[in-house]
Amino acid sequence: MRDPMLIGFCFFFLCFFFPSLFTLVFAGDPFAYYDWKVSYITASPLGVKQQVIGINGLFPGPILNVTTNWNVVVNVKNDLDEPLLVTWNGIQLRKNSWQDGVSGTNCPIPAGWNWTFQFQVKDQIGSFFYFPSLNFQRAAGGYGGIVINNRNIIPVPFGTPDGDITIFISDWYTKSHKGLRKDLEDGINLGPPDGILINGLGPYRYNDSLVPNGIAYQTINVEPGKTYRLRVHNVGISTSLNFRIQNHNLLLVETEGSYTVQQNYTNMDIHVGQSYSFLVTMDQNASSDYYVVASARFVNSSVGDRASGVAILHYSNSQGPVLGPLPDPPNEYDTYFSMNQARSIRWNVSAGAARPNPQGSFRYGQITVTDVYILLNRPAELINGKWRTTLNGISYFAPATPLRLAQQFNIPGVFKLDFPNRMMNRPAKVDTSVINGTYRGFMEIILQNNDTTVQSYHMDGYAFFVVGMDYGVWTENSRGTYNKWDGVARCTTQVFLS
């Protein structure tokens, strides 16, 4: 019997002890200012009126469109009825983690209060998104896109597209985020989503028996013969999604600020928290419109049919509405397809700006590893009367004082530097246990998935190199399979199960 565990391996930099509590500002670089009011609004993405989280009345929220070296200033007014933080998924706040927007670095913004985030974007030219990081609020919205453009002195490895389009795909539940949060605390699984949204809208009525009448859907308007850059983000909470456009190729060029070796795909599995850029040429005959599809992966096929998100690609000279069935997804039971697709993504090591690391080398495969951690996750366990998930048998407890503040001001008793580097033979527990990384060190993390679903792992404020993934249990011999040359650098990776 095959072991039901799967591994992803990744290297990443982990640097501690930043020099200042205050935001670093470079006066010679431009500033971009934003004022946001985060509040509940009413929407009906699946035909059922419900409360969602909007920004300035928009769902999804506005796009931050900035250029390398710009200083970004976002004043956030919290009009929700609970604390709020906004995090910038994949943005590396180098030498300054105080604006991350997560509970470890920032105090929550109380209801009715405001907070101004200020940070500088550096050489991460690419596609990212932001979302609320507390209290399962992301299940209700509050997300939007981040586009970081290149300065003229930094070339990109393709010509300027004729247009730039941001697409958000996400699983969606008609139950409120508070109801979903309580279910999880009570040990009730989320279950399959009620639907898949594209840009906050429900599916085009491609099937009268599956899609109710009257649901608003997304139409993407394009010109024939033009090439567009599509920035596609999975902003959902639990479901891997397959993205495809009927009769069109997806030329992958970038993921989360790293330009990739350019390859054509007919579809792409995009896991929770991941972002991709594709160049898509409108080279069809426009005899009709075309389907844009995001469908659930690794769920029961009947659920997958019900949960497909469908938008319309509309050529300006289209001769009629879309025709026929949806383009086929990959075989639901062929998990090797998804893994092999992920393995095929390679970093374009000759493109973009220089990305020096703390060790002063551009060749990550030649850097000496200082710390090794094998992180094992298991299904939720009942700990102190609540169902909790764990890593190495520890469920993290967020203290009232953020970790960085406790470190900066030497406040004792807030956290412990004792997180184990592998699973311990002891009962699961709740604790504020933190990895004691080596300053300016280079860390190897092995992610071992012993749960029942595909997992996504995100490293906030840092990028890591995905150097390998496989089925089974990791051993020392697994290092012989690592890609030590052009593994893609990204901020979120999937870890499969068999």
Side-chain angles (χ1 to χ4, degrees):
M1 181 177 179
R2 187 169 58 187
D3 192 298
M5 297 184 182
L6 174 126
I7 10 174
F9 313 90
C10 32
F11 286 109
F12 60 85
F13 301 124
L14 196 60
C15 299
F16 296 99
F17 309 119
F18 298 108
S20 173
L21 173 61
F22 303 102
T23 302
L24 299 178
V25 176
F26 299 88
D29 296 313
F31 279 75
Y33 295 93
Y34 299 87
D35 280 297
W36 289 356
K37 182 174 79 170
V38 182
S39 63
Y40 295 118
I41 61 176
T42 300
S44 306
L46 295 179
V48 178
K49 279 190 176 182
Q50 61 185 119
Q51 193 179 71
V52 306
I53 296 176
I55 298 177
N56 294 346
L58 300 175
F59 169 67
I63 293 176
L64 294 178
N65 197 323
V66 295
T67 300
T68 54
N69 278 17
W70 283 20
N71 297 289
V72 180
V73 182
V74 186
N75 184 57
V76 177
K77 171 70 185 306
N78 178 16
D79 273 0
L80 304 180
D81 57 358
E82 56 187 9
L84 168 75
L85 276 175
V86 179
T87 190
W88 322 97
N89 200 64
I91 302 300
Q92 297 175 29
L93 306 180
R94 297 175 187 170
K95 297 184 179 180
N96 175 26
S97 65
W98 296 103
Q99 307 295 313
D100 271 355
V102 293
S103 62
T105 54
N106 292 102
C107 294
I109 308 169
W113 290 45
N114 73 293
W115 170 262
T116 300
F117 293 95
Q118 183 167 320
F119 55 90
Q120 186 179 46
V121 296
K122 298 296 288 182
D123 57 10
Q124 293 179 270
I125 304 161
S127 311
F128 310 90
F129 66 93
Y130 59 84
F131 67 90
S133 63
L134 300 178
N135 298 322
F136 218 55
Q137 291 163 353
R138 179 164 153 185
Y143 50 74
I146 304 173
V147 174
I148 301 181
N149 303 289
N150 61 303
R151 291 172 290 156
N152 291 335
I153 61 172
I154 304 175
V156 296
F158 51 82
T160 303
D162 298 296
D164 198 297
I165 300 169
T166 295
I167 298 176
F168 304 105
I169 58 178
S170 65
D171 52 11
W172 192 257
Y173 295 81
T174 54
K175 181 178 283 191
S176 73
H177 73 281
K178 295 178 182 178
L180 294 172
R181 187 172 70 205
K182 186 176 187 307
D183 283 349
L184 290 174
E185 291 174 349
D186 293 340
I188 301 172
N189 290 332
L190 292 175
D194 295 311
I196 303 299
L197 305 190
I198 297 181
N199 284 351
L201 299 173
Y204 172 81
R205 201 177 190 198
Y206 66 96
N207 184 313
D208 292 349
S209 64
L210 293 176
V211 183
N213 194 20
I215 290 181
Y217 58 87
Q218 177 72 53
T219 298
I220 300 171
N221 296 302
V222 295
E223 295 294 327
K226 303 291 188 181
T227 296
Y228 295 80
R229 181 173 182 171
L230 271 58
R231 304 174 189 264
V232 187
H233 311 273
N234 184 339
V235 294
I237 53 173
S238 67
T239 309
S240 299
L241 300 174
N242 182 266
F243 180 80
R244 55 199 184 275
I245 302 177
Q246 185 181 25
N247 294 353
H248 290 72
N249 283 320
L250 307 172
L251 180 63
L252 178 65
V253 296
E254 175 255 337
T255 176
E256 297 155 23
S258 293
Y259 284 100
T260 64
V261 174
Q262 296 180 17
Q263 300 180 76
N264 273 307
Y265 296 87
T266 56
N267 62 80
M268 176 63 73
D269 281 349
I270 305 179
H271 303 271
V272 173
Q274 293 184 336
S275 301
Y276 289 95
S277 278
F278 306 101
L279 296 182
V280 181
T281 300
M282 306 305 155
D283 54 5
Q284 299 301 300
N285 58 22
S287 59
S288 68
D289 292 339
Y290 297 91
Y291 291 119
V292 179
V293 183
S295 57
R297 293 284 276 145
F298 316 118
V299 297
N300 180 279
S301 58
S302 62
V303 172
D305 290 339
R306 176 170 61 84
S308 290
V310 182
I312 296 300
L313 184 71
H314 175 74
Y315 282 52
S316 62
N317 62 340
S318 174
Q319 299 174 33
V322 65
L323 300 172
L326 300 181
D328 290 332
N331 186 319
E332 180 60 37
Y333 302 103
D334 185 7
T335 56
Y336 286 97
F337 169 87
S338 189
M339 182 179 290
N340 288 333
Q341 186 182 72
R343 288 167 170 163
S344 73
I345 300 171
R346 291 287 189 263
W347 200 21
N348 185 341
V349 296
S350 63
R355 290 172 171 82
N357 60 56
Q359 289 77 18
S361 169
F362 297 100
R363 299 181 178 179
Y364 67 87
Q366 298 179 10
I367 302 172
T368 301
V369 171
T370 57
D371 305 87
V372 178
Y373 279 82
I374 303 173
L375 304 183
L376 184 144
N377 67 277
R378 301 187 295 200
E381 302 172 65
L382 193 61
I383 308 173
N384 300 335
K386 285 191 176 182
W387 289 93
R388 301 178 183 274
T389 53
T390 61
L391 286 176
N392 288 359
I394 297 177
S395 181
Y396 178 75
F397 173 77
T401 302
L403 304 182
R404 289 290 286 113
L405 284 172
Q407 180 192 44
Q408 179 74 21
F409 295 105
N410 297 316
I411 303 172
V414 175
F415 62 89
K416 303 172 185 175
L417 292 172
D418 64 349
F419 191 88
N421 64 359
R422 60 185 64 240
M423 187 70 187
M424 306 292 285
N425 184 21
R426 63 188 185 190
K429 64 177 182 177
V430 176
D431 207 349
T432 307
S433 182
V434 178
I435 289 176
N436 188 12
T438 302
Y439 178 58
R440 302 184 76 87
F442 196 65
M443 185 174 288
E444 178 184 7
I445 297 287
I446 297 97
L447 301 171
Q448 187 85 49
N449 184 6
N450 199 27
D451 206 335
T452 58
T453 59
V454 175
Q455 298 292 317
S456 283
Y457 284 87
H458 170 72
M459 176 57 62
D460 195 65
Y462 295 88
F464 49 76
F465 298 96
V466 180
V467 300
M469 57 179 64
D470 206 344
Y471 291 102
V473 177
W474 182 88
T475 68
E476 298 287 336
N477 293 333
S478 301
R479 291 195 176 99
T481 68
Y482 287 1
N483 173 8
K484 294 188 176 183
W485 169 243
D486 60 356
V488 67
R490 63 186 315 164
C491 67
T492 305
T493 189
Q494 72 275 34
V495 186
F496 294 95
L497 63 138
S498 56

